[in-house]
């Protein structure tokens, strides 16, 4: 593995050096740090906003469908969830919109991006606990976001013809908190005997606490600016965000990495970021999946910190999309046009 950030990020390193954590960086500097590395990709797709019924009310989704006739039997489908520590993010962020477009185009597949209910931002992160409530008027907490995502997966599989989808090839996936949700929903469907076709987990954090870092991982994390590292207090704040309190042993069921059994999990792709402490969680989960007899492909994306799918035009993000699309759309026509940048 490499040491330090890839050159594209290292060239921006000066922007975030000197800050203790990401919350201290001024918005104007964050905008420069996350500025596009190149133009967005351009794919010939139909993009439609829809609403799916859910147990806590309607769940907005955005459906990305390649233009042109659906192949016999329907297209593969991915139900995708963005990240954002359960409290941030939307369907327009790159980790949702650009990922969904890129995968639908590359794989000739239908991608359903889920606008699951967000939890309130914790006060220590500048939020107000009562600003996001469920149908009972209570703050959104576990398992409401999982319920939203499960409702979308169930809706796709209940009427696959409506989206031109092959019911036997419906996958679920996500990044960061979205990966947590994808793993949690997968576990619930396994218990019901209805596991999805595949599960994709990109830089997931699946445990109540970050597992212990080995020497190589600690060196990789320390090679990144301190502001890009994810300190334990941020993990604790995220846990309180989704649970409403500090994790207790009785909350183990909320964390996929603490599941008692993983037998029956579908074929799974786990991608970790090299310079990300959460890599320890993804690696630990992959090890447990293999021990349970699950078909696992585990990749470490070199030279990147947490969250690289949220950068437009970033080469490492394109590499990740290529890997995901390879699993999702191996059936795609060989002559389908690859992406070309917008001008």
């Amino acid at each position: 593995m490499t040491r330090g950030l890839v050159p594209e990020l290292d060239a921006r390193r000066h922007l975030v050096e000197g800050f203790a954590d990401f919350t201290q960086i001024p918005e104007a500097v964050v905008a420069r740090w996350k500025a596009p590395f190149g133009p967005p990709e351009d794919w010939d797709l139909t993009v439609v906003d829809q609403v799916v019924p859910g147990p806590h009310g309607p769940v907005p989704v955005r459906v990305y469908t390649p233009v042109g006739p659906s192949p016999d039997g329907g297209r593969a489908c991915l139900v995708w969830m963005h990240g954002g520590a359960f409290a941030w993010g939307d369907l327009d962020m790159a980790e949702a919109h650009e990922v969904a477009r890129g995968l639908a185009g590359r794989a000739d597949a239908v991608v359903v991006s889920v606008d699951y209910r967000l939890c309130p931002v914790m006060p220590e992160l500048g939020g107000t606990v009562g600003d996001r409530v469920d149908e009972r008027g209570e703050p959104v907490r576990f398992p409401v976001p999982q319920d939203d995502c499960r409702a979308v997966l169930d809706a796709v599989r209940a009427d696959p013809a409506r989206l031109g989808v092959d019911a036997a090839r419906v996958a679920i996936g996500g990044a960061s908190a979205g990966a947590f949700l994808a793993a949690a929903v997968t576990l619930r469907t396994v218990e019901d005997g209805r596991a999805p076709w595949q599960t994709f987990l990109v830089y997931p954090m699946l445990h109540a606490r970050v597992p212990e870092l080995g020497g190589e991982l600690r060196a990789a994390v320390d090679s990144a600016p301190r502001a890009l590292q994810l300190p334990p207090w941020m993990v604790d704040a995220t846990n309180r965000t989704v649970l409403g309190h500090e994790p207790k042993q009785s909350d183990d069921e909320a964390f996929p990495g603490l599941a008692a059994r993983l037998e029956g999990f579908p074929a799974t792709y786990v991608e970790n970021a090299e310079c990300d402490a959460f890599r320890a969680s993804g690696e630990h989960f992959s090890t447990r999946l293999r021990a349970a007899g699950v078909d696992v492909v585990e990749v470490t994306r070199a030279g990147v910190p947490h969250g690289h799918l949220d950068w437009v035009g970033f080469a490492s993000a394109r590499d990740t999309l290529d890997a995901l699309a390879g699993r999702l759309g191996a059936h795609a026509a060989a002559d389908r046009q690859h992406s070309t940048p917008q001008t």
Side-chain angles (χ1 to χ4, degrees):
M1 295 184 187
T2 64
R3 281 288 180 266
L5 302 178
V6 295
E8 298 96 320
L9 292 180
D10 207 44
R12 299 185 181 187
R13 187 186 188 105
H14 66 283
L15 295 172
V16 295
E17 290 279 21
F19 294 100
D21 59 66
F22 205 79
T23 65
Q24 296 185 5
I25 304 176
E27 290 186 9
V29 177
V30 172
R32 292 172 62 194
W33 168 254
K34 295 189 67 174
F37 289 84
E41 296 179 349
D42 183 20
W43 295 98
D44 197 8
L45 305 169
T46 299
V47 181
V48 179
D49 288 340
Q50 300 183 9
V51 174
V52 171
H56 307 287
V59 183
V61 300
R62 185 169 293 167
V63 181
Y64 299 74
T65 306
V67 172
S70 179
D72 292 342
R75 289 184 167 95
C77 177
L78 173 64
V79 177
W80 177 260
M81 280 77 74
H82 64 78
F86 304 103
W88 290 277
D90 54 39
L91 296 181
D92 294 322
M93 67 186 293
E95 200 174 69
H97 184 59
E98 298 302 330
V99 168
R101 289 200 312 154
L103 291 177
R106 280 171 171 79
D108 190 34
V110 175
V111 178
V112 181
S113 184
V114 184
D115 194 14
Y116 56 87
R117 284 169 173 77
L118 297 177
C119 301
V121 178
M122 295 304 292
E124 61 264 46
L125 296 176
T128 303
V129 169
D131 62 349
R132 294 170 180 166
V133 297
D134 60 18
E135 77 282 5
R136 303 165 300 168
E138 299 291 332
V140 172
R141 304 294 186 199
F142 170 84
V144 171
Q146 290 95 319
D147 291 345
D148 284 350
C149 299
R150 172 67 187 270
V152 175
L153 177 66
D154 287 347
V156 170
R157 297 201 291 188
D159 189 10
R162 184 174 67 87
L163 298 178
V165 165
D166 178 356
R169 292 188 296 149
V170 179
I172 190 169
S176 194
F180 178 109
L181 294 172
V185 171
T186 299
L187 282 168
R188 289 168 62 174
T189 59
V190 167
E191 292 172 358
D192 297 341
R194 301 194 64 227
W197 170 45
Q198 297 186 74
T199 297
F200 303 153
L201 308 176
V202 182
Y203 38 83
M205 174 57 187
L206 305 171
H207 297 82
R209 298 287 186 270
V210 178
E212 184 177 355
L213 308 189
E216 181 275 326
L217 176 52
R218 169 51 62 192
V221 172
D222 288 345
S223 70
R226 187 177 176 188
L228 303 184
Q229 301 174 25
L230 301 170
W233 75 263
M234 282 191 176
V235 178
D236 294 341
T238 299
N239 289 338
R240 290 194 299 276
T241 294
V242 72
L243 295 175
H245 55 258
E246 294 287 346
K248 304 185 292 286
Q249 188 170 354
S250 59
D251 295 315
D252 283 1
E253 65 175 295
F255 295 92
L258 301 178
R261 291 175 52 84
L262 296 177
E263 286 78 8
F265 221 82
T268 301
Y269 176 92
V270 180
E271 180 172 313
N272 303 304
E274 183 186 7
C275 306
D276 178 8
F278 287 4
R279 171 154 65 101
S281 181
E283 290 175 345
H284 185 77
F285 193 66
S286 297
T287 298
R288 288 198 60 207
L289 287 174
R290 291 191 195 94
V294 177
D295 176 13
V296 181
V297 171
E298 184 180 7
V299 173
T300 301
R301 189 62 58 198
V304 295
H306 191 79
H308 69 275
L309 285 183
D310 207 32
W311 284 307
V312 176
F314 186 45
S316 296
R318 289 197 299 269
D319 292 341
T320 299
L321 296 185
D322 286 344
L324 294 173
R327 293 180 62 88
L328 184 63
H331 67 291
D335 60 352
R336 181 164 178 81
Q337 182 180 1
H338 196 276
S339 62
T340 56
Q342 293 178 342
T343 58

